[in-house]
């Protein structure tokens, strides 16, 4: 499904963007949970815009993620 790869990539992105470890884990959990909703590993990886529409997305993360 690519959920693990999606988690790892999103976690690394969060850390590199300056999010805390906790926020990066939360963001990665959202991304990996979204990735299993679609068929195929690559097709399931959510975009930032898709992540922003998730009910658990924290709007305070946006400035860091858009660098």
């Amino acid at each position: 499904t690519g959920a693990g790869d999606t988690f790892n990539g999103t976690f690394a992105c969060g850390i590199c963007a300056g999010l805390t470890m906790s926020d990066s884990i939360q963001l990665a959990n959202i991304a990996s949970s979204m990735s299993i909703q679609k068929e195929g590993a690559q097709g399931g990886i959510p975009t930032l815009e898709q992540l922003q529409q998730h009910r658990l997305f924290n709007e305070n993360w946006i400035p860091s993620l858009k660098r």
Side-chain angles (χ1 to χ4, degrees), residues 19-41:
L19 295 180
T20 65
M21 186 172 292
S22 177
D23 284 345
S24 295
I25 290 170
Q26 289 176 9
L27 180 64
N29 276 330
I30 293 169
S32 62
S33 71
M34 290 175 74
S35 75
I36 63 169
Q37 303 299 315
K38 293 184 180 176
E39 202 168 317

Side-chain angles (χ1 to χ4, degrees), residues 10-67:
T10 306
F11 176 76
C13 179
I15 292 293
C16 289
L19 295 180
T20 65
M21 186 172 292
S22 177
D23 284 345
S24 295
I25 290 170
Q26 289 176 9
L27 180 64
N29 276 330
I30 293 169
S32 62
S33 71
M34 290 175 74
S35 75
I36 63 169
Q37 303 299 315
K38 293 184 180 176
E39 202 168 317
Q42 289 180 341
I45 300 171
T47 64
L48 178 57
E49 290 76 23
Q50 290 169 327
L51 284 169
Q52 287 177 277
Q53 294 175 7
H54 193 279
R55 64 182 178 84
L56 297 178
F57 185 85
N58 183 338
E59 294 296 323
N60 294 325
W61 297 337
I62 293 174
S64 295
L65 295 173
K66 288 202 170 183
R67 286 185 198 173

